């Protein structure tokens, strides 16, 4: 079993926990109140800006075979994902530019940026976000929400193109020469940050 496949095996129970979280259940059912999703949207908008910085920090260290992929991932995050948040913001009255990081967002982004100081560690630390959202999107798309706003969010992460990006990160992890014990620790820490991120701060 490859290292990335092993990490995914470790992460599946934590994806199941996310699927049971009230915020995720509300998205799945299309019944999540606007205030909760607005808060999540604002926090994730801030998170994604730092996620781009993580890709950029890793790109500076990357072997030639990985450099283009990391640049592409930074570009896709900065344009495609942030554009999704901007386009949804009006529907939820989100204040993206005025938002401030809550504790979960601040802890997660600090963890990712610190981990990215070492190339292989950074890949393992960021994989929970890529793989986790791809897995959540696929699972939620099996019975998509009727609310078109939440359906659009699900469709974004269930898209085969997003799965392809996730698979490429998995390949890069396998090629990185990562220490398995360190990769496990960072991946699981990232998965716990993913779960905590659904506890959105109340305004």
């Amino acid at each position: 079993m490859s290292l990335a496949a092993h990490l995914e095996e470790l992460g599946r129970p934590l994806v199941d926990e996310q699927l049971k979280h009230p915020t995720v259940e509300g998205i799945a059912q299309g019944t999540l109140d606007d205030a909760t999703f607005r808060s999540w949207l604002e926090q994730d908008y801030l998170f994604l800006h730092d996620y781009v910085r993580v890709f950029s920090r890793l790109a500076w260290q990357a072997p030639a075979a990985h450099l283009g992929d990391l640049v592409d991932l930074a570009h896709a995050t900065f344009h495609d994902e942030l554009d999704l948040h901007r386009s949804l913001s009006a529907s939820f009255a989100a204040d993206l530019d005025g938002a401030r990081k809550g504790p979960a967002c601040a802890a997660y982004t600090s963890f990712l940026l610190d981990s990215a100081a070492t190339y292989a560690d950074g890949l393992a630390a960021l994989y929970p976000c890529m793989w986790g959202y791809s897995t959540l999107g696929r699972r939620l798309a099996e019975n998509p929400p009727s609310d078109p706003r939440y359906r659009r969010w699900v469709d974004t992460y269930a898209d085969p193109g997003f799965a392809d990006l996730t698979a490429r990160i998995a390949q890069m992890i396998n090629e990185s020469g990562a220490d398995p014990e360190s990769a496990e620790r960072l991946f699981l820490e990232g998965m716990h940050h993913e779960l905590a991120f659904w506890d959105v701060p109340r305004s």
Side-chain angles (χ1 to χ4, degrees), residues 65-116:
H66 296 177
L67 177 58
D69 297 286
L70 289 162
V71 171
D72 288 347
L73 284 159
H75 184 276
T77 302
F78 191 78
H79 293 283
D80 299 341
E81 283 196 79
L82 286 176
D83 281 351
L84 170 70
H85 287 55
R86 293 185 191 101
S87 66
L88 288 172
S89 64
S91 298
F92 292 94
D95 181 12
L96 299 182
D97 294 327
R100 296 292 179 268
K101 288 180 183 177
C105 183
Y108 196 3
T109 54
S110 293
F111 160 72
L112 288 172
L113 288 163
D114 288 346
S115 299

Side-chain angles (χ1 to χ4, degrees), residues 57-58 61 112-119 122:
R57 189 172 194 188
L58 292 176
Q61 307 171 64
L112 288 172
L113 288 163
D114 288 346
S115 299
T118 302
Y119 185 67

